[in-house]
Amino acid sequence: MAAISAQLASFKSFSSLLNDKKCSRFRCQIKSFGNQHSNWSVEFLSGKESVHLIRNSSPPISMAASAAGSAVKPAKKVCLFYCAETEVLAKRIAAESDAIELRSINWRTFDDGFPNLFIPNANGIRGQNVAFLASFSSPAVIFEQLSVIYALPKLFISSFTLVLPFFPTGTSERMEDEGDVATAFTLARILSHIPTSRGGPTSLVTFDIHALQERFYFGDTILPCFESGIPLLKNRLQKLPDSDKISIAFPDDGAWKRFHKQLQHFPTIVCNKVRIGDQRIVRIKEGDATGRHVVIVDDLVQSGGTLIECQKVLAASGATKISAYVTHGIFPKSSWQRFEHDNGGQLEKGLTYFWITDSCPHTVKEVKCKRPFEILSLSGSIAAALQV
C-alpha cells in the first residue's frame, strides 16, 4: 500500500484538473510498482470522493522481452553421415543449410563378404547432434547400415536421428493367412531397439509410409516423425501453366484416405478396382475428368500396372492431360520403362509428367533426364526435419 500511496502522490500536481467542474473524468496509468511490472489504471470521476484503482487484464510487454521474443533461434548443428547410395541426396541436404556438416564412413568388406566398417574421427562427434541418411534398397545393404546405425548413438553424441526416406517393407503389413510374416513389423521392431544416445531415444524421419497404422508398430524407444512429399507436389503444380485446371485422381480408396486432406483444394476423382471373372478392372468411382489435367497420386509404384489402367480410364473419360505422382518410385526390374511421354496429346499411350522424389536413389539414376519423369528432391524437407 505504501508503494501505491507514493504513486498516487505524484498525481497531486493535477489537482487543478480534479477540482475543475468542467472535467468530469480523469484517467491515468501506472506501469510499475517498485520492481514489479504491471498495467494499472487510476480513474477519478467528478462528484465522487473515491478513486478507482483498476488492474488491466494484460500486462505491458517490456522492450527486453519483446526483443528476446523476436530473436532468431540459432540453427542446430548436425553431423550428417550417409551410405554410398545416398551420397548425392546427402550433398543436396548439406547445401540447404550451413548448419549441416557431412561426415563419411569407410564402407569396406572382408574377404568373406561381411562388412568391414570404420567411422573416422569418432571422438570428434562427441556431444554433437548426429544423423544418418539410410537407404534400405535391398536386404544386401541393410545389415551393414544397421551396424553403423547401432554404433553411432554409443559414441557419446548429444542426439541421434535416422533419416530413412523410404520404409521398404511397408507393403507387407498384413497377415491374410496363418503363416504370413508381416515384415513391416519386423523392421519396425529392429529400428525400435536402436541404442539411446545421451540425449534420449532415436528420432526416425520417414516419408509417406505405406499404411498409416504402421506408426503403431514402433516401440516407445524410438520417436518416429512421419513426413510427406505432397507439399513438393503442390508447389510444382502451382507452377504449371494450367494450374487452374488440375484435378487429383486417386487409384483406390487407400490413396484417397492417405492424401485427400492434403489435396482437398483440388477437384478429386476416385478410382477403384472391380473383379470381373479373372480380371481386375479399374473404374472411376466418383469425380469427372472431362477437360481436366488429371494428376494420379499414390504413395509408391512398383510394376505400375494400376497406374497404367487408371491412365487409360481417365483418357477415355475426357481428360486433356494425365500426369502422375508417387513419393517412392521403386520400379523393380526397370518397370519404369513401361511409362512413356504423351508427346503432346497421346493420352492413351503416355503421361505428361511423372513426378517422383529421390527417396529411392537407384531409380533416380535410371530415370534422370528421361521424359516424362521429373525428380522432386526431399533435400529441403529433410534439412528442415533435422532442425526439429
Side-chain angles (χ1 to χ4, degrees):
M1 291 302 295
I4 297 175
S5 299
Q7 296 289 342
L8 293 178
S10 65
F11 301 123
K12 289 183 178 181
S13 61
F14 300 104
S15 58
S16 60
L17 288 173
L18 297 177
N19 294 324
D20 189 350
K21 294 181 179 180
K22 295 180 181 180
C23 183
S24 60
R25 178 185 293 267
F26 180 83
R27 185 182 182 93
C28 61
Q29 191 175 42
I30 302 173
K31 294 186 176 180
S32 65
F33 292 151
N35 294 326
Q36 297 184 0
H37 294 277
S38 191
N39 191 14
W40 297 76
S41 295
V42 177
E43 187 173 77
F44 173 81
L45 299 177
S46 64
K48 296 185 180 181
E49 297 180 355
S50 59
V51 175
H52 298 278
L53 184 64
I54 306 168
R55 183 169 185 174
N56 296 333
S57 58
S58 57
I61 301 175
S62 66
M63 292 297 292
S66 177
S70 61
V72 178
K73 183 180 179 181
K76 181 174 69 174
K77 298 290 185 179
V78 179
C79 298
L80 178 61
F81 291 87
Y82 54 90
C83 62
E85 290 182 22
T86 59
E87 181 177 1
V88 174
L89 178 55
K91 290 180 178 179
R92 286 188 175 183
I93 296 170
E96 296 283 344
S97 172
D98 292 336
I100 299 175
E101 178 186 354
L102 290 184
R103 296 293 186 93
S104 61
I105 293 172
N106 294 339
W107 303 90
R108 303 167 300 189
T109 57
F110 292 107
D111 292 338
D112 59 4
F114 277 87
N116 177 15
L117 309 172
F118 181 73
I119 302 172
N121 193 22
N123 290 336
I125 63 173
R126 288 185 176 182
Q128 303 294 316
N129 299 300
V130 174
F132 180 76
L133 180 61
S135 175
F136 292 174
S137 59
S138 71
V141 300
I142 292 179
F143 177 70
E144 63 180 11
Q145 292 182 56
L146 282 176
S147 300
V148 171
I149 291 168
Y150 272 58
L152 286 171
K154 295 183 177 182
L155 296 178
F156 295 94
I157 61 177
S158 179
S159 68
F160 181 60
T161 301
L162 171 61
V163 182
L164 183 63
F166 172 50
F167 189 77
T169 59
T171 55
S172 301
E173 85 284 5
R174 293 189 299 268
M175 295 179 60
E176 297 181 354
D177 296 315
E178 187 64 31
D180 285 342
V181 178
T183 53
F185 181 62
T186 305
L187 182 56
R189 290 178 65 185
I190 292 173
L191 298 180
S192 297
H193 286 83
I194 297 173
T196 57
S197 64
R198 295 179 66 184
T202 293
S203 298
L204 169 67
V205 178
T206 192
F207 286 80
D208 291 321
I209 197 165
H210 180 67
L212 297 180
Q213 68 269 20
E214 291 178 26
R215 68 179 60 217
F216 303 111
Y217 292 176
F218 296 92
D220 295 335
T221 54
I222 192 169
L223 304 175
C225 177
F226 298 100
E227 300 286 349
S228 178
I230 294 298
L232 300 175
L233 172 64
K234 293 169 69 174
N235 290 337
R236 183 65 181 91
L237 295 180
Q238 290 175 359
K239 298 176 182 178
L240 295 179
D242 58 350
S243 59
D244 59 331
K245 297 182 179 180
I246 297 294
S247 289
I248 302 297
F250 301 106
D252 51 40
D253 289 331
W256 178 85
K257 291 178 182 178
R258 187 177 301 108
F259 296 124
H260 80 279
K261 289 185 178 179
Q262 297 185 69
L263 297 164
Q264 59 184 336
H265 300 298
F266 294 94
T268 57
I269 301 167
V270 182
C271 302
N272 66 353
K273 301 174 186 176
V274 295
R275 185 179 294 276
I276 299 179
D278 295 333
Q279 293 183 329
R280 299 187 71 181
I281 299 176
V282 175
R283 292 180 176 176
I284 294 179
K285 178 181 176 182
E286 58 183 79
D288 185 10
T290 304
R292 308 293 294 180
H293 180 175
V294 182
V295 181
I296 307 169
V297 174
D298 209 349
D299 63 318
L300 59 83
V301 60
Q302 296 210 35
S303 66
T306 299
L307 287 183
I308 290 174
E309 292 303 315
C310 283
Q311 170 193 341
K312 293 178 180 179
V313 171
L314 293 168
S317 299
T320 56
K321 293 181 182 179
I322 302 173
S323 298
Y325 165 86
V326 296
T327 303
H328 311 295
I330 305 170
F331 295 119
K333 299 179 181 180
S334 298
S335 58
W336 59 268
Q337 295 177 352
R338 301 179 65 183
F339 294 92
E340 300 178 2
H341 187 249
D342 64 6
N343 290 320
Q346 300 179 19
L347 304 186
E348 69 282 355
K349 295 184 179 181
L351 299 171
T352 305
Y353 299 99
F354 198 146
W355 293 290
I356 63 174
T357 75
D358 44 6
S359 66
C360 300
H362 284 310
T363 298
V364 172
K365 290 181 180 179
E366 291 183 352
V367 305
K368 187 176 181 180
C369 300
K370 292 183 175 65
R371 301 175 75 182
F373 293 97
E374 187 174 305
I375 310 300
L376 306 179
S377 182
L378 296 172
S379 57
S381 302
I382 294 174
L386 292 177
Q387 292 298 312
V388 176

